[in-house]
Amino acid sequence: MGPELKTAFDQQAFRQALGQFPTGVCVVTCTAEFERLGMTMSSFNCLSLDPPLILFSIDRKAASLSLWEKAEGYAVNVLAENQKEISNRFAKSLSNKWEGTRFAHGQFGAPLLPGVAAVFECIPWAKYDGGDHTLFIAEVKSFSSSVDRMPLVFSKGRYAALQSTEFVAPLWPLDIHY
Ligand SMILES: Cc1cc2nc3c(=O)[nH]c(=O)nc-3n(C[C@H](O)[C@H](O)[C@H](O)COP(=O)(O)O)c2cc1C
């Protein structure tokens, strides 16, 4: 047997491949130690129906991570297709992210953005090591959605718009999953 050849993991190709999986875009918010936080995230996903759980992950390098870990509630603001500027604003490390941004106060202290496609108000459920990210799992306490608003889509490093087809997907989650 020859020496074991280790192929370098191609991070750029990995990112490119991950970009083939489109997501929506959220601004997840919270208030911790009297500071308002908001971060654009594509890592939001559904996790459990009963109990109602969702997840998102935050980069360990984020300066605000220690504050996020202290938050007693979060709001997941699912952006509508006309909210790309809000997405870009909350994707930057700016100290004045909230300047000129209208918001309402959520029940757990997390700011709620107007004009969104949906909002989920949550409390912490669990946090896990997620490699270079921290995985947050949260329990949904209340939510609302505007079905007439189309969601903003993110894929291949760009924003996209959703185009529906006439094909209906099977009901999911299927009973067979349980
Ligand atoms: C479309 C999009 C999706 C993003 N998703 C995430 C994410 O899921 N988790 C994360 O930690 N950062 C994500 N980011 C980057 C953060 O939004 C950005 O690093 C953060 O807002 C920086 O601000 P802060 O350091 O002041 O908190 C995303 C950025 C964009 C543009």
Side-chain angles (χ1 to χ4, degrees), residues 22-41:
T23 65
V25 185
C26 310
V27 173
V28 186
T29 62
C30 71
T31 300
E33 293 186 345
F34 307 103
E35 203 176 320
R36 251 191 319 274
L37 302 177
M39 199 188 277
T40 299
M41 294 195 208

Side-chain angles (χ1 to χ4, degrees), residues 77-84 86 102-104 112-119 144-146 148-152:
N77 297 274
V78 178
L79 298 186
E81 62 181 350
N82 62 344
Q83 295 186 304
K84 299 179 195 76
I86 295 178
R102 281 193 303 133
F103 64 90
L112 308 178
L113 300 176
V116 297
V119 63
S144 68
S145 72
S146 301
D148 51 319
R149 291 191 186 125
M150 292 297 271
L152 182 60

Side-chain angles (χ1 to χ4, degrees), residues 159-170:
Y159 297 116
L162 197 61
Q163 208 182 354
S164 300
T165 69
E166 74 273 27
F167 291 100
V168 178

Side-chain angles (χ1 to χ4, degrees), residues 39-43 57-59 64 90-93 97 154:
M39 199 188 277
T40 299
M41 294 195 208
S42 56
S43 58
S57 62
I58 298 183
D59 195 328
S64 53
F90 283 94
K92 288 177 196 132
S93 259
K97 275 183 184 184
F154 178 68

Side-chain angles (χ1 to χ4, degrees), residues 24-174:
V25 185
C26 310
V27 173
V28 186
T29 62
C30 71
T31 300
E33 293 186 345
F34 307 103
E35 203 176 320
R36 251 191 319 274
L37 302 177
M39 199 188 277
T40 299
M41 294 195 208
S42 56
S43 58
F44 166 69
N45 216 323
C46 51
L47 178 61
S48 164
L49 285 180
D50 186 15
L53 302 178
I54 57 93
L55 61 84
F56 57 88
S57 62
I58 298 183
D59 195 328
R60 272 192 202 282
K61 292 196 295 292
S64 53
L65 180 61
S66 61
L67 283 175
W68 280 97
E69 282 171 342
K70 287 180 193 136
E72 288 171 10
Y74 325 104
V76 179
N77 297 274
V78 178
L79 298 186
E81 62 181 350
N82 62 344
Q83 295 186 304
K84 299 179 195 76
E85 290 80 11
I86 295 178
S87 173
N88 283 351
R89 167 177 274 248
F90 283 94
K92 288 177 196 132
S93 259
L94 295 171
S95 52
N96 62 344
K97 275 183 184 184
W98 291 96
E99 215 176 275
T101 305
R102 281 193 303 133
F103 64 90
H105 295 276
Q107 54 178 321
F108 307 111
L112 308 178
L113 300 176
V116 297
V119 63
F120 300 90
E121 290 192 71
C122 316
I123 58 168
W125 174 276
K127 296 174 195 86
Y128 294 104
D129 174 9
D132 59 14
H133 280 58
T134 297
L135 177 62
F136 287 73
I137 295 177
E139 182 183 7
V140 178
K141 288 298 194 182
S142 66
F143 63 92
S144 68
S145 72
S146 301
V147 285
D148 51 319
R149 291 191 186 125
M150 292 297 271
L152 182 60
V153 177
F154 178 68
S155 175
K156 296 169 175 267
R158 292 180 173 275
Y159 297 116
L162 197 61
Q163 208 182 354
S164 300
T165 69
E166 74 273 27
F167 291 100
V168 178
L171 268 183
W172 179 88
L174 301 171

